[in-house]
Amino acid sequence: MASVVEYKGLKAGYYCGYCESREGKASCGMWAHSMTVQDYQDLIDRGWRRSGKYVYKPVMNQTCCPQYTIRCHPLQFQPSKSHKKVLKKMLKFLAKGEISKGSCEDEPMDSTMEDAVDGDFALINKLDIKCDLKTLSSDLKGSIEVEEKEKEKSLKKEGSKELIHPQAIEEKLGSGEPSHSIKVHIGPKPGKGADLSKPPCRKAKEMRKERKRLKLMQQNSAGSFEGFQARGQPVSVLPKAKSNQPKSLEDLIFESLPENALHKLEFTRFLCSSPLEAEHPANGPECGYGSFHQQYWLDGKIIAVGVIDILPYCVSSVYLYYDPDYSFLSLGVYSALREIAFTRQLHEKTSQLSYYYMGFYIHSCPKMRYKGQYRPSDLLCPETYVWVPIEQCLPSLDNSKYCRFNQDPQAEDEGRSKELDRLRVFHRRSAMPYGVYKNHQEDPSEEAAVLEYANLVGQKCSERMLLFRH
């Protein structure tokens, strides 16, 4: 099984949703007819990102708003005060139906889209944009059957679009332009809304009763936590954390709920259609590698769907869409924290899978800096493709929107293309080295395009992936 891609080249001078420049954006892209999880892992480690079946890489020293690949270290991650606030808000809602007033300051303040070549599709980063689930034209309970049928069709039809159930979603997003179905979070005006830094007022007697009840439940339910499940996953019970240690992320997510809790939150996980080929190696995670829909069910009603890619070394977030009636739960932040915890759980069985990729970090756009709050995290150097702790990058980014993070001036891109003739192409239903293919070509622009592609994807991917040539 090999990845088959069609390089589309440079796309420059188009609209940027971050700074609203009408012609400031620049990126190179390719259409992925199929792709292995290892190839995509190597591509995102060189600054690429998928938007449906379109895979693109910003031209960092040309684009108006440089987008740096960011990854979080889940094994060392400790939730911040604002993250804990979101988790506690969810628990209060599930236990008592309490709804916090005002907006969550940690929610992204704007939406962004990456237009695919010729408007084929638009990327929705799960932390950036929230789509209205009420626009879906069919019940998501039958999503897995729909997706499997569409996947079979896409394998037979070259260049078909990724279908996110149902078709209405594709129609809304395919143009690359925002529509009424996309809900953009707007924060409260200064001086308006509830003070989220203060907990809601509660009586001391009520708090004592709740603590006693939780303590009894924890004692009776010790050892009942079974971790994450692929289907029907409830908010479970964890043993009480030691009092002299801060609560872990899992402690906060799975904190005990009273028996008379008003709401029940469950999860299901399904494979979904994407260019990534599903793989189930013996030494991989139980769920396998590929693209997955994670559905969030509240009292039997679906309220959110997140898409993630599970790759050899990471869980990569793609996007989230949810019912705007539940925006008060800060589902973008909540789902990111759930996915960080999920990455930790996958790591227990697959040790090399130890990172959580959050897409792009855009420092030149202040309202898009929130991803840097998930610490510890690294940014990818756009020239040498090494990971650098974000704390070391921020001073440079404050001075210049485009930066080389690798401080060694002699360092080079170790994964760069070194032998163009070893690049593999797919021509007339046959795979062959580029050194053989070029002997039959007379177009002088051919080699320039192939060389550009090879430098962007690197030597390893150029030797494994098949570059489709007409």
Side-chain angles (χ1 to χ4, degrees):
M1 181 176 62
S3 302
V4 180
V5 298
E6 187 172 356
Y7 184 59
K8 297 293 186 178
L10 174 68
K11 182 182 180 184
Y14 62 106
Y15 176 76
C16 173
Y18 300 112
C19 67
E20 298 186 352
S21 168
R22 290 194 171 276
E23 47 189 36
K25 215 165 187 180
S27 66
C28 293
M30 57 188 175
W31 188 259
H33 296 282
S34 66
M35 183 166 287
T36 67
V37 291
Q38 184 61 61
D39 284 340
Y40 186 53
Q41 175 74 70
D42 290 341
L43 286 174
I44 62 175
D45 284 336
R46 292 184 64 83
W48 291 82
R49 192 77 178 163
R50 82 174 181 90
S51 169
K53 292 193 174 184
Y54 182 70
V55 189
Y56 68 99
K57 184 180 189 301
V59 182
M60 299 291 281
N61 59 356
Q62 295 181 29
T63 193
C64 53
C65 296
Q67 300 161 263
Y68 298 92
T69 302
I70 182 171
R71 72 178 186 184
C72 173
H73 295 251
L75 305 185
Q76 293 79 39
F77 175 80
Q78 287 294 332
S80 66
K81 290 183 178 179
S82 58
H83 294 150
K84 292 177 182 178
K85 187 187 303 180
V86 170
L87 296 176
K88 290 177 180 177
K89 179 167 57 176
M90 174 65 79
L91 289 171
K92 288 179 180 178
F93 173 72
L94 295 176
K96 299 184 177 182
E98 292 185 11
I99 299 177
S100 299
K101 297 181 179 180
S103 301
C104 177
E105 60 189 13
D106 293 322
E107 285 288 325
M109 299 292 287
D110 201 1
S111 61
T112 58
M113 285 188 173
E114 176 67 27
D115 296 345
V117 62
D118 299 326
D120 285 317
F121 208 79
L123 170 71
I124 300 181
N125 187 284
K126 71 170 294 299
L127 295 174
D128 296 344
I129 294 183
K130 281 71 70 175
C131 298
D132 190 345
L133 272 178
K134 291 182 178 179
T135 62
L136 299 184
S137 62
S138 65
D139 190 347
L140 284 174
K141 290 183 179 179
S143 61
I144 184 64
E145 291 83 6
V146 174
E147 290 158 2
E148 289 303 319
K149 290 179 182 178
E150 294 297 347
K151 188 169 185 178
E152 291 176 5
K153 292 179 182 178
S154 68
L155 292 174
K156 298 177 182 178
K157 184 177 180 181
E158 210 172 46
S160 61
K161 298 178 182 178
E162 175 185 11
L163 295 179
I164 302 174
H165 61 273
Q167 186 177 359
I169 286 290
E170 183 178 24
E171 294 172 349
K172 296 291 185 184
L173 305 180
S175 64
E177 296 295 332
S179 71
H180 69 276
S181 67
I182 296 174
K183 301 294 182 180
V184 180
H185 180 90
I186 303 297
K189 295 180 179 180
K192 302 281 186 174
D195 184 354
L196 296 181
S197 65
K198 298 179 180 179
C201 295
R202 300 174 63 188
K203 293 183 179 180
K205 184 178 180 180
E206 179 185 350
M207 294 174 68
R208 286 195 299 271
K209 286 183 177 180
E210 182 176 349
R211 283 197 296 268
K212 184 177 180 181
R213 181 169 61 251
L214 293 178
K215 184 177 180 180
L216 289 173
M217 290 184 66
Q218 287 166 341
Q219 292 173 349
N220 294 334
S221 305
S224 66
F225 176 63
E226 298 179 355
F228 292 82
Q229 301 174 358
R231 300 174 66 90
Q233 175 193 94
V235 174
S236 306
V237 178
L238 277 182
K240 186 178 180 181
K242 295 181 180 180
S243 58
N244 61 342
Q245 294 181 354
K247 287 186 176 182
S248 69
L249 178 61
E250 288 80 3
D251 291 332
L252 293 166
I253 290 177
F254 298 106
E255 187 168 331
S256 302
L257 291 173
E259 294 181 358
N260 60 345
L262 292 182
H263 301 290
K264 181 180 181 182
L265 187 64
E266 296 181 311
F267 302 85
T268 59
R269 184 173 300 115
F270 294 125
L271 271 171
C272 64
S273 178
S274 90
L276 300 184
E277 298 293 338
E279 299 180 22
H280 293 84
N283 60 344
E286 187 175 336
C287 59
Y289 298 118
S291 298
F292 294 82
H293 274 176
Q294 296 204 113
Q295 299 179 357
Y296 292 69
W297 294 82
L298 181 68
D299 302 332
K301 172 187 176 183
I302 192 166
I303 63 169
V305 179
V307 172
I308 58 172
D309 293 332
I310 301 180
L311 304 176
Y313 306 125
C314 73
V315 170
S316 175
S317 81
V318 184
Y319 59 81
L320 173 84
Y321 48 97
Y322 65 69
D323 188 331
D325 288 348
Y326 296 90
S327 59
F328 64 89
L329 291 174
S330 304
L331 289 172
V333 175
Y334 181 77
S335 64
L337 297 173
R338 292 279 320 200
E339 289 170 6
I340 289 174
F342 178 52
T343 306
R344 286 153 66 139
Q345 189 258 341
L346 291 177
H347 172 79
E348 293 178 2
K349 294 185 178 180
T350 311
S351 59
Q352 73 271 17
L353 203 163
S354 55
Y355 296 103
Y356 177 61
Y357 284 50
M358 298 179 283
F360 290 127
Y361 174 82
I362 305 100
H363 191 79
S364 58
C365 183
K367 56 196 172 185
M368 298 307 298
R369 296 179 184 176
Y370 59 89
K371 293 178 187 178
Q373 298 171 4
Y374 295 79
R375 303 282 181 94
S377 58
D378 306 317
L379 297 183
L380 187 67
C381 176
E383 296 180 8
T384 62
Y385 303 110
V386 298
W387 294 99
V388 180
I390 192 171
E391 293 85 355
Q392 298 178 26
C393 305
L394 296 180
S396 299
L397 289 172
D398 286 336
N399 295 324
S400 174
K401 63 182 182 180
Y402 173 73
C403 299
R404 170 193 168 106
F405 300 137
N406 193 325
Q407 296 302 306
D408 181 0
Q410 304 301 319
E412 297 181 344
D413 171 16
E414 295 296 332
R416 67 187 182 281
S417 176
K418 304 178 183 69
E419 299 180 61
L420 188 62
D421 284 355
R422 295 179 61 178
L423 178 146
R424 298 179 70 199
V425 300
F426 186 73
H427 180 60
R428 293 182 178 178
R429 299 184 180 182
S430 297
M432 64 189 74
Y434 179 69
V436 174
Y437 168 80
K438 72 177 182 180
N439 292 331
H440 305 285
Q441 301 302 312
E442 298 179 357
D443 185 353
S445 65
E446 176 84 1
E447 184 158 339
V450 173
L451 180 61
E452 182 179 75
Y453 158 83
N455 288 330
L456 292 172
V457 303
Q459 186 68 31
K460 289 192 298 184
C461 283
S462 72
E463 290 186 28
R464 290 197 307 254
M465 299 194 305
L466 295 176
L467 176 63
F468 180 80
R469 308 308 292 167
H470 293 287

mmCIF file of all heavy atoms in Angstrom, residues 145-172:
data_model
loop_
_atom_site.group_PDB
_atom_site.id
_atom_site.type_symbol
_atom_site.label_atom_id
_atom_site.label_comp_id
_atom_site.label_asym_id
_atom_site.label_seq_id
_atom_site.Cartn_x
_atom_site.Cartn_y
_atom_site.Cartn_z
ATOM 1 N N GLU A 145 -22.559 3.927 8.927
ATOM 2 C CA GLU A 145 -22.937 3.246 7.695
ATOM 3 C C GLU A 145 -22.753 4.161 6.492
ATOM 4 O O GLU A 145 -22.262 3.733 5.446
ATOM 5 C CB GLU A 145 -24.397 2.780 7.770
ATOM 6 C CG GLU A 145 -24.640 1.643 8.762
ATOM 7 C CD GLU A 145 -24.808 2.150 10.188
ATOM 8 O OE1 GLU A 145 -24.842 3.377 10.379
ATOM 9 O OE2 GLU A 145 -24.908 1.318 11.089
ATOM 10 N N VAL A 146 -23.139 5.422 6.635
ATOM 11 C CA VAL A 146 -23.002 6.381 5.545
ATOM 12 C C VAL A 146 -21.546 6.553 5.170
ATOM 13 O O VAL A 146 -21.168 6.541 4.002
ATOM 14 C CB VAL A 146 -23.612 7.750 5.949
ATOM 15 C CG1 VAL A 146 -23.339 8.775 4.863
ATOM 16 C CG2 VAL A 146 -25.110 7.597 6.177
ATOM 17 N N GLU A 147 -20.687 6.695 6.200
ATOM 18 C CA GLU A 147 -19.268 6.941 5.954
ATOM 19 C C GLU A 147 -18.607 5.760 5.266
ATOM 20 O O GLU A 147 -17.777 5.932 4.364
ATOM 21 C CB GLU A 147 -18.566 7.242 7.279
ATOM 22 C CG GLU A 147 -18.956 8.585 7.849
ATOM 23 C CD GLU A 147 -18.721 8.673 9.335
ATOM 24 O OE1 GLU A 147 -18.220 7.694 9.930
ATOM 25 O OE2 GLU A 147 -19.046 9.712 9.891
ATOM 26 N N GLU A 148 -18.944 4.543 5.672
ATOM 27 C CA GLU A 148 -18.327 3.381 5.052
ATOM 28 C C GLU A 148 -18.722 3.273 3.579
ATOM 29 O O GLU A 148 -17.908 2.920 2.729
ATOM 30 C CB GLU A 148 -18.734 2.111 5.815
ATOM 31 C CG GLU A 148 -18.095 1.993 7.193
ATOM 32 C CD GLU A 148 -16.586 2.035 7.117
ATOM 33 O OE1 GLU A 148 -16.006 1.419 6.200
ATOM 34 O OE2 GLU A 148 -15.976 2.689 7.969
ATOM 35 N N LYS A 149 -19.990 3.578 3.262
ATOM 36 C CA LYS A 149 -20.431 3.543 1.874
ATOM 37 C C LYS A 149 -19.697 4.588 1.052
ATOM 38 O O LYS A 149 -19.279 4.343 -0.074
ATOM 39 C CB LYS A 149 -21.950 3.766 1.800
ATOM 40 C CG LYS A 149 -22.758 2.592 2.340
ATOM 41 C CD LYS A 149 -24.250 2.897 2.253
ATOM 42 C CE LYS A 149 -25.069 1.746 2.842
ATOM 43 N NZ LYS A 149 -26.525 2.050 2.807
ATOM 44 N N GLU A 150 -19.555 5.788 1.625
ATOM 45 C CA GLU A 150 -18.873 6.852 0.905
ATOM 46 C C GLU A 150 -17.409 6.512 0.692
ATOM 47 O O GLU A 150 -16.819 6.849 -0.323
ATOM 48 C CB GLU A 150 -19.006 8.180 1.667
ATOM 49 C CG GLU A 150 -20.425 8.722 1.748
ATOM 50 C CD GLU A 150 -20.986 9.060 0.388
ATOM 51 O OE1 GLU A 150 -20.222 9.120 -0.589
ATOM 52 O OE2 GLU A 150 -22.210 9.268 0.288
ATOM 53 N N LYS A 151 -16.810 5.866 1.694
ATOM 54 C CA LYS A 151 -15.402 5.500 1.567
ATOM 55 C C LYS A 151 -15.204 4.517 0.416
ATOM 56 O O LYS A 151 -14.254 4.605 -0.347
ATOM 57 C CB LYS A 151 -14.889 4.900 2.876
ATOM 58 C CG LYS A 151 -13.384 4.678 2.878
ATOM 59 C CD LYS A 151 -12.887 4.347 4.260
ATOM 60 C CE LYS A 151 -11.375 4.244 4.272
ATOM 61 N NZ LYS A 151 -10.842 3.964 5.609
ATOM 62 N N GLU A 152 -16.123 3.556 0.293
ATOM 63 C CA GLU A 152 -16.029 2.593 -0.797
ATOM 64 C C GLU A 152 -16.132 3.295 -2.144
ATOM 65 O O GLU A 152 -15.424 2.967 -3.094
ATOM 66 C CB GLU A 152 -17.134 1.547 -0.661
ATOM 67 C CG GLU A 152 -16.942 0.612 0.530
ATOM 68 C CD GLU A 152 -18.094 -0.351 0.689
ATOM 69 O OE1 GLU A 152 -18.996 -0.344 -0.187
ATOM 70 O OE2 GLU A 152 -18.111 -1.104 1.674
ATOM 71 N N LYS A 153 -17.039 4.271 -2.225
ATOM 72 C CA LYS A 153 -17.192 5.013 -3.474
ATOM 73 C C LYS A 153 -15.933 5.804 -3.797
ATOM 74 O O LYS A 153 -15.489 5.874 -4.932
ATOM 75 C CB LYS A 153 -18.389 5.965 -3.375
ATOM 76 C CG LYS A 153 -19.729 5.258 -3.315
ATOM 77 C CD LYS A 153 -20.850 6.294 -3.202
ATOM 78 C CE LYS A 153 -22.210 5.619 -3.087
ATOM 79 N NZ LYS A 153 -23.299 6.615 -2.933
ATOM 80 N N SER A 154 -15.335 6.433 -2.762
ATOM 81 C CA SER A 154 -14.169 7.280 -2.990
ATOM 82 C C SER A 154 -12.978 6.479 -3.472
ATOM 83 O O SER A 154 -12.131 6.979 -4.201
ATOM 84 C CB SER A 154 -13.813 8.031 -1.707
ATOM 85 O OG SER A 154 -13.342 7.141 -0.732
ATOM 86 N N LEU A 155 -12.887 5.211 -3.068
ATOM 87 C CA LEU A 155 -11.775 4.370 -3.507
ATOM 88 C C LEU A 155 -11.889 4.049 -4.994
ATOM 89 O O LEU A 155 -10.903 3.766 -5.658
ATOM 90 C CB LEU A 155 -11.747 3.072 -2.694
ATOM 91 C CG LEU A 155 -11.376 3.224 -1.220
ATOM 92 C CD1 LEU A 155 -11.520 1.889 -0.508
ATOM 93 C CD2 LEU A 155 -9.967 3.759 -1.064
ATOM 94 N N LYS A 156 -13.115 4.084 -5.506
ATOM 95 C CA LYS A 156 -13.340 3.773 -6.914
ATOM 96 C C LYS A 156 -13.248 5.023 -7.792
ATOM 97 O O LYS A 156 -13.020 4.924 -8.986
ATOM 98 C CB LYS A 156 -14.731 3.141 -7.093
ATOM 99 C CG LYS A 156 -14.884 1.813 -6.345
ATOM 100 C CD LYS A 156 -16.287 1.273 -6.503
ATOM 101 C CE LYS A 156 -16.480 -0.017 -5.720
ATOM 102 N NZ LYS A 156 -17.862 -0.541 -5.816
ATOM 103 N N LYS A 157 -13.416 6.161 -7.179
ATOM 104 C CA LYS A 157 -13.413 7.394 -7.956
ATOM 105 C C LYS A 157 -12.229 8.253 -7.584
ATOM 106 O O LYS A 157 -12.137 8.724 -6.482
ATOM 107 C CB LYS A 157 -14.714 8.178 -7.719
ATOM 108 C CG LYS A 157 -14.822 9.432 -8.582
ATOM 109 C CD LYS A 157 -16.150 10.119 -8.365
ATOM 110 C CE LYS A 157 -16.267 11.377 -9.214
ATOM 111 N NZ LYS A 157 -17.537 12.070 -8.996
ATOM 112 N N GLU A 158 -11.307 8.448 -8.502
ATOM 113 C CA GLU A 158 -10.081 9.183 -8.203
ATOM 114 C C GLU A 158 -10.400 10.639 -7.983
ATOM 115 O O GLU A 158 -11.173 11.259 -8.712
ATOM 116 C CB GLU A 158 -9.112 9.056 -9.395
ATOM 117 C CG GLU A 158 -7.668 9.119 -9.012
ATOM 118 C CD GLU A 158 -6.769 8.784 -10.189
ATOM 119 O OE1 GLU A 158 -7.044 9.325 -11.272
ATOM 120 O OE2 GLU A 158 -5.838 8.010 -10.021
ATOM 121 N N GLY A 159 -9.804 11.214 -6.960
ATOM 122 C CA GLY A 159 -9.969 12.640 -6.705
ATOM 123 C C GLY A 159 -11.266 13.009 -6.060
ATOM 124 O O GLY A 159 -11.644 14.162 -6.051
ATOM 125 N N SER A 160 -12.007 12.060 -5.532
ATOM 126 C CA SER A 160 -13.270 12.390 -4.888
ATOM 127 C C SER A 160 -13.045 13.135 -3.602
ATOM 128 O O SER A 160 -12.026 12.990 -2.953
ATOM 129 C CB SER A 160 -14.075 11.115 -4.609
ATOM 130 O OG SER A 160 -13.353 10.284 -3.741
ATOM 131 N N LYS A 161 -14.029 13.942 -3.189
ATOM 132 C CA LYS A 161 -13.912 14.753 -1.982
ATOM 133 C C LYS A 161 -14.173 13.927 -0.741
ATOM 134 O O LYS A 161 -14.875 12.937 -0.762
ATOM 135 C CB LYS A 161 -14.927 15.898 -2.027
ATOM 136 C CG LYS A 161 -14.705 16.848 -3.188
ATOM 137 C CD LYS A 161 -15.775 17.921 -3.189
ATOM 138 C CE LYS A 161 -15.628 18.862 -4.367
ATOM 139 N NZ LYS A 161 -16.678 19.873 -4.412
ATOM 140 N N GLU A 162 -13.572 14.387 0.363
ATOM 141 C CA GLU A 162 -13.875 13.751 1.644
ATOM 142 C C GLU A 162 -15.277 14.156 2.040
ATOM 143 O O GLU A 162 -15.622 15.328 2.047
ATOM 144 C CB GLU A 162 -12.889 14.227 2.715
ATOM 145 C CG GLU A 162 -13.237 13.692 4.069
ATOM 146 C CD GLU A 162 -12.350 14.247 5.155
ATOM 147 O OE1 GLU A 162 -11.621 15.188 4.881
ATOM 148 O OE2 GLU A 162 -12.434 13.727 6.279
ATOM 149 N N LEU A 163 -16.114 13.180 2.356
ATOM 150 C CA LEU A 163 -17.489 13.462 2.735
ATOM 151 C C LEU A 163 -17.632 13.357 4.225
ATOM 152 O O LEU A 163 -17.436 12.304 4.801
ATOM 153 C CB LEU A 163 -18.437 12.485 2.040
ATOM 154 C CG LEU A 163 -18.479 12.602 0.506
ATOM 155 C CD1 LEU A 163 -19.436 11.579 -0.045
ATOM 156 C CD2 LEU A 163 -18.874 14.002 0.083
ATOM 157 N N ILE A 164 -17.950 14.461 4.829
ATOM 158 C CA ILE A 164 -18.235 14.470 6.257
ATOM 159 C C ILE A 164 -19.743 14.431 6.370
ATOM 160 O O ILE A 164 -20.422 15.308 5.874
ATOM 161 C CB ILE A 164 -17.686 15.742 6.916
ATOM 162 C CG1 ILE A 164 -16.185 15.831 6.666
ATOM 163 C CG2 ILE A 164 -17.998 15.754 8.388
ATOM 164 C CD1 ILE A 164 -15.600 17.117 7.158
ATOM 165 N N HIS A 165 -20.255 13.400 6.985
ATOM 166 C CA HIS A 165 -21.694 13.220 7.013
ATOM 167 C C HIS A 165 -22.378 14.397 7.659
ATOM 168 O O HIS A 165 -21.892 14.928 8.629
ATOM 169 C CB HIS A 165 -22.044 11.937 7.763
ATOM 170 C CG HIS A 165 -21.565 11.999 9.191
ATOM 171 N ND1 HIS A 165 -20.301 11.617 9.576
ATOM 172 C CD2 HIS A 165 -22.185 12.452 10.307
ATOM 173 C CE1 HIS A 165 -20.162 11.796 10.878
ATOM 174 N NE2 HIS A 165 -21.278 12.294 11.336
ATOM 175 N N PRO A 166 -23.518 14.783 7.114
ATOM 176 C CA PRO A 166 -24.029 14.415 5.808
ATOM 177 C C PRO A 166 -23.518 15.359 4.740
ATOM 178 O O PRO A 166 -22.689 16.209 4.994
ATOM 179 C CB PRO A 166 -25.538 14.565 5.999
ATOM 180 C CG PRO A 166 -25.636 15.724 6.926
ATOM 181 C CD PRO A 166 -24.460 15.605 7.860
ATOM 182 N N GLN A 167 -24.129 15.291 3.527
ATOM 183 C CA GLN A 167 -23.647 16.088 2.423
ATOM 184 C C GLN A 167 -23.820 17.575 2.678
ATOM 185 O O GLN A 167 -23.081 18.396 2.151
ATOM 186 C CB GLN A 167 -24.396 15.685 1.141
ATOM 187 C CG GLN A 167 -23.850 16.379 -0.119
ATOM 188 C CD GLN A 167 -24.557 15.896 -1.356
ATOM 189 O OE1 GLN A 167 -25.427 15.037 -1.271
ATOM 190 N NE2 GLN A 167 -24.200 16.427 -2.497
ATOM 191 N N ALA A 168 -24.773 17.927 3.519
ATOM 192 C CA ALA A 168 -25.016 19.341 3.805
ATOM 193 C C ALA A 168 -23.781 20.035 4.349
ATOM 194 O O ALA A 168 -23.528 21.199 4.052
ATOM 195 C CB ALA A 168 -26.173 19.489 4.798
ATOM 196 N N ILE A 169 -22.988 19.314 5.164
ATOM 197 C CA ILE A 169 -21.783 19.917 5.718
ATOM 198 C C ILE A 169 -20.805 20.259 4.620
ATOM 199 O O ILE A 169 -20.224 21.325 4.596
ATOM 200 C CB ILE A 169 -21.124 18.974 6.737
ATOM 201 C CG1 ILE A 169 -21.938 18.969 8.015
ATOM 202 C CG2 ILE A 169 -19.699 19.376 7.053
ATOM 203 C CD1 ILE A 169 -21.856 20.255 8.798
ATOM 204 N N GLU A 170 -20.640 19.338 3.653
ATOM 205 C CA GLU A 170 -19.705 19.594 2.566
ATOM 206 C C GLU A 170 -20.157 20.792 1.749
ATOM 207 O O GLU A 170 -19.359 21.621 1.330
ATOM 208 C CB GLU A 170 -19.583 18.361 1.683
ATOM 209 C CG GLU A 170 -18.562 18.541 0.570
ATOM 210 C CD GLU A 170 -18.419 17.298 -0.278
ATOM 211 O OE1 GLU A 170 -19.378 16.510 -0.315
ATOM 212 O OE2 GLU A 170 -17.367 17.123 -0.888
ATOM 213 N N GLU A 171 -21.466 20.898 1.522
ATOM 214 C CA GLU A 171 -21.971 22.010 0.735
ATOM 215 C C GLU A 171 -21.753 23.334 1.450
ATOM 216 O O GLU A 171 -21.479 24.353 0.831
ATOM 217 C CB GLU A 171 -23.455 21.792 0.453
ATOM 218 C CG GLU A 171 -23.713 20.588 -0.455
ATOM 219 C CD GLU A 171 -25.191 20.276 -0.567
ATOM 220 O OE1 GLU A 171 -25.984 20.849 0.208
ATOM 221 O OE2 GLU A 171 -25.530 19.463 -1.434
ATOM 222 N N LYS A 172 -21.876 23.337 2.774
ATOM 223 C CA LYS A 172 -21.676 24.562 3.528
ATOM 224 C C LYS A 172 -20.230 25.009 3.494
ATOM 225 O O LYS A 172 -19.935 26.193 3.456
ATOM 226 C CB LYS A 172 -22.093 24.373 4.989
ATOM 227 C CG LYS A 172 -23.572 24.087 5.174
ATOM 228 C CD LYS A 172 -24.409 25.283 4.843
ATOM 229 C CE LYS A 172 -25.887 25.024 5.148
ATOM 230 N NZ LYS A 172 -26.733 26.153 4.749
#
